[in-house]
């Protein structure tokens, strides 16, 4: 009662209200002890016992988590300096400032302890202090010296220490509940930390708590149901930076998020955000990343071809703004590799196949493939023409980036491919004419066969005498012969005459 204003007030009020009970107990000879109840006490009975020990001078061992709970308990009991000097609020605040907030791991442990007393820890500012300390360490560790600038030995040692601090910080943050972790990410963005740090932290948190991403269950994850995983994944994706990181590992991780988003059936907006981020740097993807199985029963193909088309569309939209011939070449080779994998799928239609051809080599191979329909060949050649025009435009609009010799090489390639294109077009015209004649001959042949069938039916229904006479005179019906190069037909009736 000498240290806590609240306990003094509660016990005094209790004694005044139970005066009659006290007199009765005194008459009976047994003492009276007032009882009070503290509902939802921060930390429960264990922390209240530690408060009592501190009040009576008993030594207690403090940690980051117990210090947070003791600070909240002291606030709840109103153990201020105004009420009693050298009180518990001041003691716990000093311990937090000097022993907890100065250490990264201890700060995260204290922040984790704030989860059980979130409202009280928030009101007295412990949560904000811990978050600010974490973000300050992260911003100081993300020094430009860490990313490839020249350094002396002293700076190199400094880099190693900072890098290990940032790595430990990232690992420990994964243990936080998502509401607290989300606030840390928001503070990182407000502090101006790089998108790479923010994006990496979000992706690592998703891998830790969503087993589908890594195809293995995490024992420390508290998120069990698919609905919880879906809500968490949608929230994480909504917090991803708009501009994608340049790291290849991040692109691979984004594909992992996309697979999980498809399986968990997240919103279309959520998947579109991921597809745009992946498509903007599709040249950093691998063939294994691109070939995502069809998880929907609506898709007949083995792999999700619609997804591949959307990723290519997003890539081309980004390429239209900043055209890079190297990126186009890499993505073209990537799509060619994907075509080799999906070509054996019996449910894949030819129209879907040639749409995915980006490269000149792929278009030329498709144009010379005799098994493709004629209409498909025409569209492939048309696409090849568009690519040639884009190539010429890119060369003519280069302002100082290309030498005259390189420009000549570009135009030499263009002229060579154009000649091949013209030869293919002539072959296609000849094939179209040939096909027309074949169709005409087929129709005429069909009519003749129908007439022959009628004559045979008439002879079969005639008398045996007529049939023997026909055999005697040696009436024969010869099969018609059609020439694929000439529109001539030999009529069986002429042979009989």
């Amino acid at each position: 009662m000498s240290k806590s204003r609240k306990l003094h007030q509660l016990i005094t009020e209790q004694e005044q209200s139970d005066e009659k009970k006290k007199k009765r107990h005194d008459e009976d000879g047994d003492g009276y002890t007032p009882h009070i109840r503290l509902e939802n006490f921060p930390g429960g009975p264990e922390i209240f016992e530690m408060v009592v020990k501190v009040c009576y001078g008993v030594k207690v061992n403090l940690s980051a988590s117990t210090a947070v709970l003791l600070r909240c308990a002291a606030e709840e009991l109103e153990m201020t300096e105004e009420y009693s000097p050298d009180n518990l609020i001041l003691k716990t605040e000093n311990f937090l400032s000097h022993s907890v907030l100065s250490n990264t791991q201890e700060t995260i442990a204290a922040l984790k302890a704030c989860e059980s007393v979130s409202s009280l820890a928030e009101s007295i500012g412990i949560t904000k202090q811990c978050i600010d300390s974490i973000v300050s360490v992260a911003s100081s560790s993300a020094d430009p010296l860490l990313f490839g600038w020249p350094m002396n030995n002293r700076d190199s040692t400094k880099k190693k220490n900072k890098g290990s601090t940032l790595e430990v910080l990232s690992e420990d943050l994964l243990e936080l509940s998502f509401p607290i972790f989300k606030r840390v990410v928001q503070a990182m963005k407000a502090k101006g930390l790089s998108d790479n740090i923010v994006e990496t932290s979000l992706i690592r948190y998703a891998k830790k708590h969503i087993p589908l991403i890594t195809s293995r269950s995490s024992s420390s994850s508290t998120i069990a149901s698919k609905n919880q995983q879906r809500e968490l994944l949608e929230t994480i994706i909504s917090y991803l930076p708009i501009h994608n990181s340049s790291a290849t590992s991040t692109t691979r991780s984004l594909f992992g998020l996309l697979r999980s988003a498809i399986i968990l059936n997240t919103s279309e907006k959520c998947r579109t955000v991921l597809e745009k981020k992946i498509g903007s740097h599709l040249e950093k993807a691998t063939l294994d990343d691109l070939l995502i199985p069809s998880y929907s029963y609506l898709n007949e193909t083995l792999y999700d071809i619609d997804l591949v088309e959307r990723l290519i569309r997003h890539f081309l939209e980004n390429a239209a703004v900043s055209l890079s011939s190297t990126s186009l070449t890499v993505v073209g080779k990537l799509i060619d590799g994907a075509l080799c994998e999906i070509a054996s799928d019996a449910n894949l239609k030819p129209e879907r196949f040639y749409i995915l051809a980006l490269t000149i080599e792929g278009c030329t191979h498709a144009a010379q493939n005799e098994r493709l329909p004629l209409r498909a060949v025409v569209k492939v050649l048309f696409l090849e023409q568009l690519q040639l025009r884009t190539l010429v435009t890119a060369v003519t609009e280069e302002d100082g980036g290309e030498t005259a010799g390189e420009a000549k090489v570009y135009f030499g390639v263009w002229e060579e491919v154009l000649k091949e294109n013209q030869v293919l077009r002539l072959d296609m015209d000849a094939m179209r004419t040939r096909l027309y004649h074949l169709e005409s001959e087929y129709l005429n042949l069909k009519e003749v066969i129908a007439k022959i069938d009628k004559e045979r039916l008439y002879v079969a229904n005639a008398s045996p005498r007529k049939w023997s006479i026909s055999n005697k005179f040696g009436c024969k019906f010869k099969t018609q012969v059609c020439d694929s190069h000439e529109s001539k037909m030999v009529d069986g009736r002429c042979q009989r005459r």
Side-chain angles (χ1 to χ4, degrees), residues 271-464:
R271 282 175 282 179
T272 302
V273 170
L274 281 177
E275 290 174 6
K276 287 184 177 180
K277 287 180 66 64
I278 293 173
S280 62
H281 290 278
L282 191 59
E283 70 277 6
K284 299 183 182 301
T286 63
L287 184 59
D288 292 335
D289 297 332
L290 194 62
L291 296 177
I292 297 180
S294 297
Y295 295 106
S296 174
Y297 66 92
L298 298 176
N299 293 331
E300 297 179 352
T301 55
L302 179 62
Y303 296 105
D304 195 342
I305 308 301
D306 294 332
L307 174 60
V308 176
E309 291 183 15
R310 290 195 300 270
L311 293 178
I312 295 175
R313 189 183 307 115
H314 295 315
F315 170 77
L316 294 177
E317 290 174 356
N318 183 73
V321 178
S322 57
L323 181 63
S324 173
S325 58
T326 304
S327 299
L328 288 173
T329 303
V330 172
V331 173
K333 298 296 183 182
L334 177 65
I335 301 303
D336 283 351
L339 291 176
C340 293
E341 293 293 330
I342 67 177
S344 59
D345 193 343
N347 295 324
L348 179 64
K349 297 180 180 179
E351 291 79 6
R352 304 294 303 279
F353 184 87
Y354 67 74
I355 285 177
L356 298 177
L358 287 179
T359 61
I360 295 179
E361 292 84 356
C363 291
T364 305
H365 186 275
Q368 295 175 347
N369 193 337
E370 298 179 355
R371 290 178 292 180
L372 281 177
L374 182 61
R375 182 175 299 177
V377 176
V378 174
K379 291 188 177 181
V380 167
L381 294 176
F382 175 74
L383 179 61
E384 189 175 353
Q385 285 280 8
L386 291 180
Q387 292 177 341
L388 290 172
R389 291 185 180 182
T390 303
L391 178 63
V392 174
T393 303
V395 173
T396 55
E397 291 182 354
E398 285 285 347
D399 48 354
E402 299 286 346
T403 62
E406 291 173 334
K408 288 181 180 179
V409 172
Y410 275 119
F411 282 107
V413 174
W414 173 77
E415 290 178 354
E416 181 179 354
V417 177
L418 182 61
K419 291 179 181 178
E420 295 180 359
N421 194 3
Q422 291 175 348
V423 172
L424 290 174
R425 184 182 300 171
L426 293 175
D427 292 342
M428 186 181 61
D429 292 338
M431 184 167 56
R432 186 186 297 109
T433 304
R434 182 179 176 185
L435 180 62
Y436 172 76
H437 289 305
L438 287 174
E439 290 177 350
S440 300
E441 292 178 4
Y442 171 74
L443 293 175
N444 294 333
L445 182 61
K446 192 175 181 180
E447 293 178 358
V448 172
I449 292 176
K451 292 180 179 179
I452 293 175
D453 290 339
K454 289 182 179 179
E455 293 180 4
R456 286 182 175 177
L457 182 63
Y458 172 77
V459 172
N461 293 332
S463 62

Side-chain angles (χ1 to χ4, degrees), residues 481-492:
V481 179
C482 63
D483 191 345
S484 60
H485 295 281
E486 299 179 4
S487 56
K488 296 180 181 180
M489 181 172 57
V490 181
D491 197 331

Side-chain angles (χ1 to χ4, degrees), residues 145 151-162:
L145 294 174
M151 295 177 292
N152 53 32
N153 293 335
R154 182 178 179 182
D155 291 334
S156 179
T157 305
K158 181 181 178 182
K159 170 186 173 181
K160 183 177 180 180
N161 294 335
K162 286 187 174 183

